[in-house]
């Protein structure tokens, strides 16, 4: 089974709104990464957050990590049509294998 | 820098055949990972190579194998193809172990097994 699971499975928002998705995982991690995949650009790395970090920002993206709850969230602020994509969290485990969740599909409506 | 390249981009094979996919990482990257992506199972980790050594392997049968060359280029091989092997195979490179570094993905090889 997958280490990380995203929630919700799908999200539809209006352009300009914020989008939040969550990732829960089962075993302790060293790092957690978020990726985006759309048909035009393939899989692209967004943010890597280490287990000793609680929050990271990159442009309009904000990632939080709560290791006590084994969960992470990705917030996209002021969404744009170009943010329409699937978003995946990837977690490692003690043996450093990376495991991707099933993803959250985000649709940004004009 | 040139991105990760994968060849071929599309492939159609028959059950029972074997296939070899190739991946050229970003210059200077020493880690190459392979993933299988299907609508049903999502993105699944196949294996990771670092400096020509397999560092990790996912839960796939022995029909799936790979290797990495001294120039960091990598190949993966699938023998005795099954219909269920139809998938998008993605290669990713990173400067160090994928667990600790951002990965750069190639466009993938779309394999169809008939």
């Amino acid at each position: 089974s997958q280490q990380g699971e995203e929630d919700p499975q799908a999200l539809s928002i209006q352009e300009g709104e914020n989008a939040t998705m969550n990732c829960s995982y089962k075993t302790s991690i060293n790092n957690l990464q978020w990726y985006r995949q759309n048909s035009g650009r393939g899989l692209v790395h967004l943010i890597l957050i280490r287990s000793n970090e609680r929050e990271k920002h990159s442009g309009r993206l904000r990632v939080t990590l709560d290791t006590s709850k084994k969960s992470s969230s990705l917030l996209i602020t002021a969404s744009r049509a170009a943010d329409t994509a699937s978003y995946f969290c990837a977690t490692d485990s003690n043996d450093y294998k990376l495991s991707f969740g099933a993803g959250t599909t985000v649709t940004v409506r004009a | 820098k040139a991105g990760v390249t994968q060849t071929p981009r599309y492939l159609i094979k028959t059950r029972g055949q074997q296939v070899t996919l190739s991946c050229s990482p970003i210059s200077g990257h020493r880690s190459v990972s392979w993933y299988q992506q299907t609508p049903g199972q999502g993105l699944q980790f196949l294996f990771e190579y670092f400096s020509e050594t397999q560092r990790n392997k996912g839960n796939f049968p022995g029909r799936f194998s790979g290797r990495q060359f001294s120039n960091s280029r990598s190949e993966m091989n699938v023998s005795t193809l099954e219909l269920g092997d139809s998938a998008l195979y993605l290669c990713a490179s990173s400067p160090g172990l994928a667990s600790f570094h951002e990965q750069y993905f190639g466009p993938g090889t779309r394999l169809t097994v008939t």
Side-chain angles (χ1 to χ4, degrees), chain A:
Chain A
S1 63
Q2 290 164 324
Q3 158 81 312
E5 296 291 342
E6 293 90 345
D7 173 67
Q9 288 187 336
L11 191 54
S12 180
I13 55 174
Q14 202 76 29
E15 206 165 20
E17 292 180 337
N18 296 343
T20 300
M21 59 211 85
N22 303 296
C23 170
S24 58
Y25 54 92
K26 297 170 187 162
T27 62
S28 62
I29 58 170
N30 300 296
N31 305 289
L32 184 145
Q33 304 183 39
W34 284 92
Y35 287 82
R36 178 181 66 210
Q37 185 177 37
N38 58 30
S39 57
R41 293 197 59 195
L43 258 167
V44 174
H45 181 271
L46 297 176
I47 286 183
L48 182 152
I49 186 165
R50 307 196 186 283
S51 59
N52 61 355
E53 297 176 310
R54 291 298 166 257
E55 189 170 311
K56 265 188 120 166
H57 296 256
S58 176
R60 295 182 296 110
L61 306 179
R62 172 179 167 249
V63 167
T64 61
L65 178 64
D66 187 335
T67 53
S68 66
K69 293 182 180 176
K70 293 188 171 60
S71 69
S72 173
S73 68
L74 170 66
L75 167 67
I76 306 171
T77 59
S79 62
R80 306 167 181 169
D83 295 328
T84 293
S86 291
Y87 292 81
F88 299 90
C89 69
T91 51
D92 65 358
S93 50
N94 284 339
D95 54 7
Y96 307 112
K97 288 183 189 179
L98 262 189
S99 174
F100 281 75
T104 292
T105 300
V106 174
T107 303
V108 180
R109 306 186 308 273

Side-chain angles (χ1 to χ4, degrees), chain B residues 40-56:
Chain B
Q41 298 296 317
L43 260 167
Q44 295 202 290
F45 170 76
L46 279 157
F47 21 68
E48 178 179 11
Y49 286 87
F50 183 84
S51 295
E52 301 179 69
T53 302
Q54 187 180 86
R55 287 306 183 113
N56 257 313

Side-chain angles (χ1 to χ4, degrees), chain B residues 70-83:
Chain B
S70 58
N71 61 359
S72 292
R73 191 177 69 84
S74 177
E75 288 180 348
M76 67 162 280
N77 184 276
V78 188
S79 61
T80 320
L81 283 166
E82 301 177 358
L83 294 178

Side-chain angles (χ1 to χ4, degrees), chain B residues 1-51:
Chain B
K1 278 185 179 178
V4 177
T5 57
Q6 292 186 245
T7 56
R9 292 291 310 278
Y10 302 91
L11 207 46
I12 299 175
K13 290 284 189 180
T14 304
R15 254 185 319 178
Q17 289 186 315
Q18 76 161 15
V19 66
T20 299
L21 311 182
S22 182
C23 172
S24 292
I26 289 173
S27 177
H29 284 190
R30 297 168 66 188
S31 167
V32 173
S33 298
W34 288 89
Y35 297 88
Q36 181 196 67
Q37 187 173 32
T38 59
Q41 298 296 317
L43 260 167
Q44 295 202 290
F45 170 76
L46 279 157
F47 21 68
E48 178 179 11
Y49 286 87
F50 183 84
S51 295

Side-chain angles (χ1 to χ4, degrees), chain B residues 56-68:
Chain B
N56 257 313
K57 187 171 169 33
N59 297 325
F60 279 82
R63 302 184 295 107
F64 291 80
S65 63
R67 58 179 176 168
Q68 186 181 33

